[in-house]
Amino acid sequence: MSKSVTILGVDVLDSNDIQVSKVKIADQLTIRTYMRANIDGEYTSAIELKNRYGQVVTSNGSYTLGLPPLRLRSGEVGIFEIKITCMLEAGQYSFQSTVEMDAHEISLGVPVAISPWLGPISVDWEYGIDRAPFLGMFGVPVSAKFLKLIDIKSPKSGSEI
């Protein structure tokens, strides 16, 4: 592993920028990775999140989100901040932060710094008290509506309720 960048630290914050280790389903979580360049370069960063069974449930970063690389000169400090809406089933999660250099195409960046797996982060929900926003492992974006059939003879004449 190259020492072209050093991860100085990682913060996990809620929507009020308060450090947390526990959120509710659908809460926003901010993860900030602080890095110091040891050589001039262009850097990308990513976060991998895994569940308690060791399965990676998501991997997102500056490249997949379409951000240009962060250009740092030797000695400069940069921060990669990613906001995650926790549409994940309740449970324990850990995450890892990575910094890559020269990642101009997917999977071609050279990892130059990797944090240990950090956490746990607890995603909680009171299923017996509150209706869950989804059931299953993930709350994927969906939409729905009801239609009311107005004229039984003409099924194409439905209208929204």
Side-chain angles (χ1 to χ4, degrees):
M1 181 91 37
S2 166
K3 284 296 184 187
S4 59
V5 71
T6 302
I7 294 176
L8 301 173
V10 179
D11 270 337
V12 179
L13 310 164
D14 66 11
S15 59
N16 296 313
D17 282 343
I18 297 170
Q19 289 185 333
V20 295
S21 61
K22 183 178 179 179
V23 294
K24 288 180 71 174
I25 291 176
D27 281 354
Q28 183 172 290
L29 194 66
T30 300
I31 299 176
R32 290 185 185 140
T33 302
Y34 301 86
M35 64 192 86
R36 183 184 60 236
N38 299 320
I39 62 171
D40 295 358
E42 290 186 345
Y43 299 94
T44 58
S45 190
I47 298 294
E48 290 183 337
L49 191 66
K50 69 179 181 179
N51 63 18
R52 66 179 170 211
Y53 303 110
Q55 301 163 324
V56 174
V57 296
T58 191
S59 179
N60 294 290
S62 57
Y63 179 85
T64 57
L65 294 170
L67 298 176
L70 176 63
R71 187 176 301 238
L72 294 174
R73 298 181 73 65
S74 180
E76 289 183 322
V77 173
I79 302 169
F80 174 63
E81 179 180 277
I82 189 166
K83 293 184 182 288
I84 301 167
T85 302
C86 293
M87 295 301 282
L88 303 163
E89 72 177 322
Q92 300 284 311
Y93 295 87
S94 57
F95 70 96
Q96 182 177 59
S97 181
T98 63
V99 180
E100 300 80 30
M101 190 171 189
D102 301 324
H104 299 288
E105 295 183 42
I106 195 160
S107 300
L108 296 181
V110 178
V112 291
I114 301 173
S115 76
W117 287 98
L118 303 169
I121 297 171
S122 295
V123 177
D124 291 340
W125 193 260
E126 294 291 335
Y127 288 98
I129 298 172
D130 296 320
R131 180 176 32 209
F134 65 90
L135 299 174
M137 291 178 67
F138 311 103
V140 296
V142 297
S143 66
K145 62 182 175 182
F146 282 110
L147 298 174
K148 185 174 182 180
L149 195 57
I150 294 174
D151 183 352
I152 294 177
K153 295 179 185 177
S154 178
K156 293 182 181 179
S157 65
S159 66
E160 292 184 36
I161 296 177

